Amino acid sequence: MKVLVMNCGSSSLKYQLIDSESEAVLAKGLCERIGIDGRLTHKPAGKETVAIEVDMPNHKEAVSSVLSHLTDPVCGVIGALSEIEAVGHRVVHGGEKFARSVVLTEEVTTEIEKCNELAPLHNPANLIGINACAELMPGVPMVAVFDTAFHQTMPKKAYLYGLPYEYYENYKVRRYGFHGTSHSYVSKRAAQILGKDAASLKTIVCHLGNGSSICAVDGGESVDTSMGFTPLEGLVMGTRSGDVDPAVLEYIAGKENLDVSGVLNVLNKKSGVQGISGVSSDFRDLDAASKDGNERAAAALDIFAYRVAKYVGSYAAAMNGVDVIAFTAGIGENDANMREKICGYLGYLGITVDSEANAVRGQEKVISTADSKVTVMVVPTNEELAIARETVALVK
Ligand code: ADP
């Protein structure tokens, strides 16, 4: 079955067409600047990449352009639209309503709309993509796969904040967690690689990318994760602060003459390793600057590693042990120095990293020594494939 995987943002759209039998990516691409002017980058497997300016006043035009490129006689990969048998949509927030992926119906779409206020930047864009596909591919079954769903197994002690309970009851203020599709995929894949049953393992997944989060997976279920009500909580990220004392908000607001949303903008977009270093949010730039003697870049890398190590320690405590630690996403998959730096804090867990094995990029690999008490691995994430699999499972 050929499945189109869609990830719609407010002005962008990422897509992959996946053959579910071979799990091969037939084509993938990106629409940018939707609603402004429009740019499409289309990469068909085995053919030349197409990068063009296309008028994209709205998401429907963007989807329409994607579909015409997929079926184009030159750069296309299918003969007709009818070959696409299902569409899987990434949806950021499913609230408490969606603990798993779901086939899209009018009723489901209405329920997703109700989650909009929990993710006002993301969910409305996801819904626009869903509606555009529904119009352009009528009758093709579609599935919503939520970033939050995997974490719905978290117990109350992990998801409730120390706030008045009424805020949870009345306003749904609680920890939801994100990157669920990635944490789910990586924890299962790690077990598979090791030839073990996920139900028997305590795994800590470190998804370290531009946005970063850690997840404690006990017996295949998420029991805690570092992002919370929004993706701002937890680790120090590319541009996000992660955990800070909330009293800082008022203090900074006064000093910088900002309102609450102004301070939150700083915490989301101007903080993290970017804010600390003043250099970049990209770890390759930070590495280079640090090697050149830039102390703030070096501090940013230290702070990042230290925060990850603290979360790993807290999740080992939460699960009363850990069998596997899996690194994934841009930094987790590619940055051997950062992995080694983080693992340097974990000797008390009986972890030893094999430096030679750790010199790996973007490959599935065990990087701990044979006698390490915890197996440390690199497991590249593949959210699109996970979405395609969920979609096939639900529409078959
Ligand atoms: P997201 O999906 O959250 O945008 P990614 O998972 O693609 O992010 O991660 C992107 C980040 O990964 C970059 O900002 C950079 O910091 C880091 N990264 C990518 N490649 C490397 C590399 N070779 N070495 C170190 N860091 C890398």
Side-chain angles (χ1 to χ4, degrees), residues 372-395:
S372 177
K373 291 215 175 74
V374 177
T375 306
V376 184
M377 314 172 67
V378 173
V379 181
T381 192
N382 194 338
E383 288 165 283
E384 291 79 13
L385 178 58
I387 292 172
R389 285 179 182 165
E390 291 274 308
T391 303
V392 172
L394 285 173
V395 303

Side-chain angles (χ1 to χ4, degrees), residues 6-10 12-13 59-60 63 87 89-94 98 102 104-135 142-146:
M6 299 290 252
N7 182 355
C8 273
S10 55
S12 70
L13 184 173
H59 283 72
K60 192 173 163 194
V63 174
V87 184
H89 290 273
R90 175 191 181 215
V91 179
V92 167
H93 217 306
F98 297 105
V102 61
L104 281 157
T105 60
E106 238 170 78
E107 215 180 345
V108 168
T109 310
T110 309
E111 285 299 327
I112 296 175
E113 260 165 28
K114 289 186 192 161
C115 301
N116 277 5
E117 67 173 350
L118 295 172
L121 294 179
H122 294 105
N123 267 31
N126 300 153
L127 280 165
I128 289 171
I130 289 169
N131 291 331
C133 286
E135 272 186 55
M142 305 204 291
V143 167
V145 180
F146 302 92

Side-chain angles (χ1 to χ4, degrees), residues 58-72:
N58 55 48
H59 283 72
K60 192 173 163 194
E61 292 299 328
V63 174
S64 171
S65 181
V66 168
L67 298 179
S68 64
H69 279 80
L70 287 171
T71 50
D72 185 85

Side-chain angles (χ1 to χ4, degrees), residues 4-6 13-17 27-31 34 40-42 54 56 59-72 75-76 78 81 84 136-137:
L4 182 60
V5 175
M6 299 290 252
L13 184 173
K14 288 188 207 145
Y15 63 94
Q16 282 196 9
L17 184 67
K28 63 179 173 182
L30 169 68
C31 299
I34 302 170
L40 172 77
T41 311
H42 173 71
V54 198
M56 292 176 190
H59 283 72
K60 192 173 163 194
E61 292 299 328
V63 174
S64 171
S65 181
V66 168
L67 298 179
S68 64
H69 279 80
L70 287 171
T71 50
D72 185 85
C75 67
I78 49 175
L81 261 194
I84 301 176
L136 293 165
M137 289 184 275

Side-chain angles (χ1 to χ4, degrees), residues 14 179 207-212 238 240 273 280-287 328-336 338 361 381 383:
K14 288 188 207 145
H179 290 145
H207 178 113
L208 311 178
N210 209 7
S212 296
R240 293 189 193 118
V273 292
S280 170
S281 62
D282 192 304
F283 279 54
R284 289 162 287 198
D285 300 337
L286 293 173
D287 262 335
T328 196
I331 300 156
E333 292 168 25
N334 295 303
D335 194 338
M338 183 48 72
R361 279 188 54 189
T381 192
E383 288 165 283

Side-chain angles (χ1 to χ4, degrees), residues 287 327 330-343 353-362 367 378:
D287 262 335
F327 286 101
I331 300 156
E333 292 168 25
N334 295 303
D335 194 338
N337 290 338
M338 183 48 72
R339 289 192 300 257
E340 195 141 10
K341 204 172 168 78
I342 293 165
C343 290
V353 168
D354 177 338
S355 296
E356 220 168 277
N358 185 40
V360 71
R361 279 188 54 189
I367 59 165
V378 173

Side-chain angles (χ1 to χ4, degrees), residues 30-54:
L30 169 68
C31 299
E32 294 166 285
R33 300 177 60 84
I34 302 170
I36 306 165
D37 37 32
R39 184 179 306 145
L40 172 77
T41 311
H42 173 71
K43 298 182 178 174
K47 295 184 181 179
E48 236 165 82
T49 297
V50 178
I52 46 163
E53 314 281 316
V54 198

